[in-house]
Amino acid sequence: MKNPHVWLAAVCASALVWPAAQAAAQSAGPAAASAPAAASVAPPDVAAPKYGAWGYDESGRDTSVNPGVDFFRYANGVWYDHQEIPADRTRFGNFDKLVVLSENRTRLIIEQAAAGQLTDADATRVGDAYKAYMDEARVERLGAQPLTSDLDTIRGEQTREDIAAVMGRAPLGFQSAIFDLSIGADAKDPNHYSVYIDVGGLGLPDRDYYLKPEFAEKKAAYQAYVAGLLKQIGWADPDAAAAGVVDFETKLADASWTRAEERDPEKTYNPMAVSALAAYAPGFDFKAFLASGELGSLDNIVLEANTAFPKVSAIYAATPIETLKAWQAFHVVDSASPYLSDRFVQARFAFRNHVLAGQPQIQPRWKRAVGFVNRNLGEAVGRLYVAQYFTPDAKAKMDALVGHLREALEARLEKVDWMSPETKAKAIEKLSKFTVKIGYPAEWRDYSALVIRPDDLYGDAERATAFDWERQVKRMHGPVDKLEWDMTPQTVNAYYNSSNNEIVFPAAILSPPFFDPNADPAINYGGIGAVIGHEMTHGFDDQGRKFDGDGRLADWWGAGDAPKFQVRADRLGAQYSAFEPVPGAHIKGELTMGENIADLGGVLVALDAYHASLHGQPAPVIDGLTGDQRFFLGFAQIWREKMRDDALREALVSDPHSPSHYRVVATLRNVDAWYAAFDVKPGDPMYVAPDQRVRIW
């Protein structure tokens, strides 16, 4: 299934980092029974981190490394060699530092709500959700009992039509489906909503895990995990059932599009009358499926990986009913495990976190509880978060920075030598229409209809899922809510949304090392400036460029301009595809194309804006470092990250972002000013001849 923070239906909303990477430890690693209770944990640190005297941690630099050999190590090598990844995480770096900070801050807010110390309208709801999660004794007493209704429904199915109808309930609870539904702005009519449908059904991170021999061990472990969960619920002949489930998913994987193919917004926009679906993809009861998902009156739908639909429907029709039911039962238990007793929690952690991503230890329960509340009542917590941790001054300074970056990008667009004047004018017009959202939403989400009980964790999770889906269904025929945010203020990330032509910066990312009002301006421009430039450039990357200034999927380019762009993009993709972060696993240049373009554009635009901010005066030299040197060090500092090998292998096939090391070295080798700043010469490993450097924006 697609991550809802990264894809809004078929419309691209490109995030700075893959949200799943931040959430992985939380979503799949509930606490063990031995985890300490919240009351016994030391008070969390809620102070923003500090990096050196002027915004850069010089102690983390390895000056024994020539900048032209490996700039990531030159800027971060000592930090990397001494940094340990916490046992309950799969990665750790400066992004994660802020994730931990946000986690600590929201924990205090949530625990205050649980203690009845807050008067906010949603405080009771927030506190009760946390109490329900932290009541481990009650969860343990219930065991598998909360699953009874969902499993009885599956056991009672007699036909494939019955199964399709139950699958249709997936957006409303713990059931799963082989087709994924979502509701978002229509790519060609962004002021109105459309329902999107795509193929799904896979329990492993990517189709490669089923089809590539290098993942055979993980696939075998997955089959054992499926069998183990089926055994726990008393499913008949669990080993044979698990073999059938994995064989079924392998066939689905083979029929599915690759992630790189799914990135093309033109290929994934395929409107169709609902009445035509049955003939287009016979073998699956789409009518019953949509009716169960509260979409029975739907006339039209947009298919994403459209050519996969007939194949997936045929696979479904040819699969024994008992295998389909076993598939459903496994996925119900897998999805619900975080809200069940310890035996389910441990089984899920052992496979999804430990085997797949190499995480040694489960997270303490309070972290899981905080993640649960943030996901399901995110804006209620966010409203309290910004009141305590986000100032009007920070918002004003960000507004000013965004203005400077916008001016720099416009100047750069005007100088592009490969684009026709007509297309260039339209690109500048699109930039002028960018909407900028900083800190928090102008209107907060209304949770008053969501029922949360302090003694019903499973029910709370199920009702929260249904609440969000029904909220989307009810507004489906109205105008698109342009004020809505797709991340909460306490999320450490940023994104560009093509359908709204907007860039969005939640409050939690506006902290050091990204943004520090007291830091050297070069550091801020290399940090948050590059982030702002990154999100702006997404409007003109290989996906974003296909949407006009009003957020409409439309071809606004001159006939000769797109091929020139593609030549440059392909060259950049080839550079990245040559990198092999772990033996036998290369970066997928096509999958990471948009993020790589945005990283390069972000650095160039931020550097231009930094130079403009000097108003013709020379930058001061600090600790022997010039302004440009500090800028590039600041950029490298935000990508300090260390990652476990299994998690890295998973990211290489599923994450549209390149690994952090390469977000530094692969980007800067295409930036002329970096060569000048650090005297990088031919023969240095990072050196690329000027005529081979990729120049897009």
Side-chain angles (χ1 to χ4, degrees):
M1 290 187 178
K2 294 184 178 70
N3 188 306
H5 292 308
V6 178
W7 290 92
L8 306 179
V11 181
C12 175
S14 302
L16 182 66
V17 294
W18 191 235
Q22 292 184 27
Q26 294 183 354
S27 64
S34 59
S40 66
V41 179
D45 183 2
V46 296
K50 184 171 175 60
Y51 293 82
W54 40 271
Y56 174 72
D57 171 28
E58 291 186 88
S59 69
R61 189 159 55 123
D62 185 354
T63 54
S64 71
V65 177
N66 185 310
V69 171
D70 184 338
F71 193 74
F72 180 90
R73 283 207 58 85
Y74 171 76
N76 303 318
V78 171
W79 172 89
Y80 188 91
D81 290 342
H82 290 85
Q83 178 63 53
E84 295 290 332
I85 303 174
D88 64 352
R89 292 185 176 273
T90 60
R91 64 181 76 200
F92 198 76
N94 285 342
F95 256 98
D96 304 273
K97 249 188 195 178
L98 291 186
V99 170
V100 171
L101 176 64
S102 178
E103 184 177 68
N104 287 342
R105 288 174 169 179
T106 55
R107 173 192 165 199
L108 284 183
I109 290 168
I110 292 166
E111 288 185 344
Q112 287 169 352
Q117 297 170 356
L118 302 178
T119 57
D120 182 85
D122 286 313
T124 299
R125 202 170 275 108
V126 167
D128 285 350
Y130 186 72
K131 288 177 184 176
Y133 205 104
M134 291 303 293
D135 190 355
E136 190 172 10
R138 185 178 188 281
V139 173
E140 204 61 34
R141 285 196 305 272
L142 289 173
Q145 182 182 327
L147 293 168
T148 302
S149 177
D150 281 320
L151 291 178
D152 283 351
T153 296
I154 293 168
R155 288 189 171 102
E157 296 166 342
Q158 300 296 317
T159 66
R160 284 184 175 79
E161 290 72 24
D162 293 341
I163 295 172
V166 173
M167 285 186 176
R169 300 291 296 171
L172 293 150
F174 291 116
Q175 296 288 353
S176 291
I178 59 171
F179 294 103
D180 295 337
L181 292 168
S182 58
I183 300 172
D186 187 280
K188 292 194 175 181
D189 183 11
N191 292 319
H192 296 91
Y193 291 107
S194 279
V195 177
Y196 289 79
I197 185 170
D198 200 7
V199 297
L202 305 185
L204 284 168
D206 186 79
R207 69 193 298 274
D208 282 6
Y209 277 71
Y210 298 89
L211 307 176
K212 297 288 180 70
E214 57 264 36
F215 293 112
E217 187 178 331
K218 305 293 187 189
K219 183 179 177 181
Y222 177 56
Q223 184 167 319
Y225 172 58
V226 176
L229 286 194
L230 291 176
K231 197 172 299 182
Q232 289 208 50
I233 58 171
W235 201 263
D237 200 355
D239 292 328
V245 167
V246 175
D247 179 65
F248 173 59
E249 290 189 9
T250 301
K251 292 173 182 174
L252 295 180
D254 190 50
S256 301
W257 286 13
T258 67
R259 287 181 186 265
E261 290 172 319
E262 290 263 18
R263 290 189 66 255
D264 190 328
E266 293 171 328
K267 290 181 179 178
T268 54
Y269 184 78
N270 305 284
M272 180 178 286
V274 170
S275 59
L277 257 179
Y280 178 70
F284 185 83
D285 191 338
F286 288 99
K287 183 177 180 181
F289 175 74
L290 293 171
S292 291
E294 303 186 357
L295 297 171
S297 62
L298 192 67
D299 293 323
N300 297 290
I301 197 165
V302 180
L303 278 61
E304 296 186 56
N306 62 328
T307 60
F309 275 69
K311 299 174 186 177
V312 169
S313 290
I315 291 166
Y316 176 84
T319 300
I321 285 178
E322 289 308 311
T323 297
L324 296 175
K325 292 169 70 171
W327 179 90
Q328 289 178 289
F330 160 70
H331 280 284
V332 163
V333 184
D334 181 48
S335 298
S337 286
Y339 316 110
L340 300 173
S341 60
D342 190 58
R343 61 190 173 103
F344 294 99
V345 166
Q346 296 291 354
R348 192 175 202 273
F349 169 82
F351 175 70
R352 296 216 171 271
N353 290 61
H354 185 65
V355 172
L356 286 183
Q359 183 176 322
Q361 292 181 13
I362 247 166
Q363 285 197 327
R365 194 168 187 89
W366 72 262
K367 289 187 180 182
R368 248 319 255 156
V370 166
F372 172 71
V373 179
N374 272 327
R375 282 193 306 279
N376 293 302
L377 291 154
E379 288 195 16
V381 178
R383 185 169 59 243
L384 298 163
Y385 179 94
V386 297
Q388 293 190 39
Y389 299 112
F390 190 64
T391 66
D393 181 58
K395 191 174 191 305
K397 288 180 177 176
M398 269 296 292
D399 280 327
L401 269 173
V402 170
H404 298 156
L405 269 292
R406 193 196 293 258
E407 291 169 5
L409 180 52
E410 181 175 349
R412 186 163 279 274
L413 288 170
E414 288 173 344
K415 296 173 186 173
V416 171
D417 60 4
W418 54 267
M419 181 178 274
S420 65
E422 295 79 14
T423 306
K424 191 182 297 186
K426 291 177 181 176
I428 292 171
E429 179 189 11
K430 178 174 182 176
L431 176 62
S432 73
K433 292 183 174 182
F434 269 27
T435 296
V436 181
K437 297 177 178 177
I438 296 171
Y440 54 91
E443 292 183 2
W444 296 100
R445 187 163 298 175
D446 179 4
Y447 294 99
S448 59
L450 174 58
V451 175
I452 297 291
R453 290 169 43 189
D455 60 351
D456 186 16
L457 176 59
Y458 189 95
D460 289 344
E462 194 167 43
R463 286 188 294 272
T465 301
F467 166 80
D468 188 62
W469 180 250
E470 288 170 344
R471 177 183 66 86
Q472 295 182 60
V473 170
K474 286 174 184 174
R475 69 179 187 181
M476 191 171 62
H477 299 296
V480 167
D481 181 2
K482 299 289 186 179
L483 298 178
E484 185 176 38
W485 280 47
D486 298 299
M487 290 178 181
T488 65
Q490 62 272 30
T491 300
V492 184
N493 212 332
Y495 67 94
Y496 170 75
N497 182 355
S498 294
S499 65
N500 280 359
N501 193 27
E502 66 183 6
I503 51 176
V504 185
F505 305 96
I509 199 174
L510 305 179
S511 292
F514 296 93
F515 176 64
D516 181 353
N518 300 314
D520 168 47
I523 298 299
N524 279 335
Y525 277 98
I528 198 65
V531 171
I532 296 167
H534 172 103
E535 300 306 339
M536 286 183 171
T537 304
H538 270 311
F540 306 95
D541 69 15
D542 64 318
Q543 292 175 297
R545 73 172 189 82
K546 296 181 178 181
F547 294 80
D548 65 18
D550 296 319
R552 184 177 296 104
L553 181 62
D555 187 1
W556 51 272
W557 287 52
D561 295 322
K564 292 176 183 176
F565 171 92
Q566 197 60 49
V567 167
R568 288 159 173 78
D570 288 344
R571 282 177 54 202
L572 187 66
Q575 285 187 7
Y576 279 83
S577 293
F579 290 113
E580 190 176 4
V582 289
H586 287 253
I587 294 174
K588 293 186 175 183
E590 290 186 356
L591 173 61
T592 59
M593 180 71 75
E595 300 300 333
N596 299 337
I597 291 172
D599 280 344
L600 177 56
V603 167
L604 293 169
V605 172
L607 184 60
D608 287 352
Y610 171 58
H611 289 163
S613 76
L614 298 172
H615 303 294
Q617 299 299 311
V621 174
I622 301 176
D623 289 348
L625 296 164
T626 67
D628 278 14
Q629 288 174 329
R630 299 193 305 276
F631 171 91
F632 291 119
L633 288 169
F635 173 70
Q637 181 175 245
I638 67 173
W639 296 118
R640 282 186 182 177
E641 182 182 71
K642 199 167 185 175
M643 198 170 181
R644 302 187 191 280
D645 281 352
D646 282 329
L648 180 54
R649 287 184 182 275
E650 181 178 332
L652 287 169
V653 299
S654 62
D655 189 343
H657 305 82
S658 296
S660 291
H661 185 111
Y662 301 92
R663 297 187 79 165
V664 176
V665 299
T667 299
L668 297 184
R669 65 207 298 259
N670 289 298
V671 178
D672 294 342
W674 172 75
Y675 288 83
F678 292 96
D679 194 26
V680 178
K681 298 184 180 302
D684 289 336
M686 282 184 62
Y687 183 86
V688 175
D691 64 341
Q692 295 300 307
R693 296 171 197 165
V694 177
R695 307 176 194 279
I696 302 178
W697 301 114

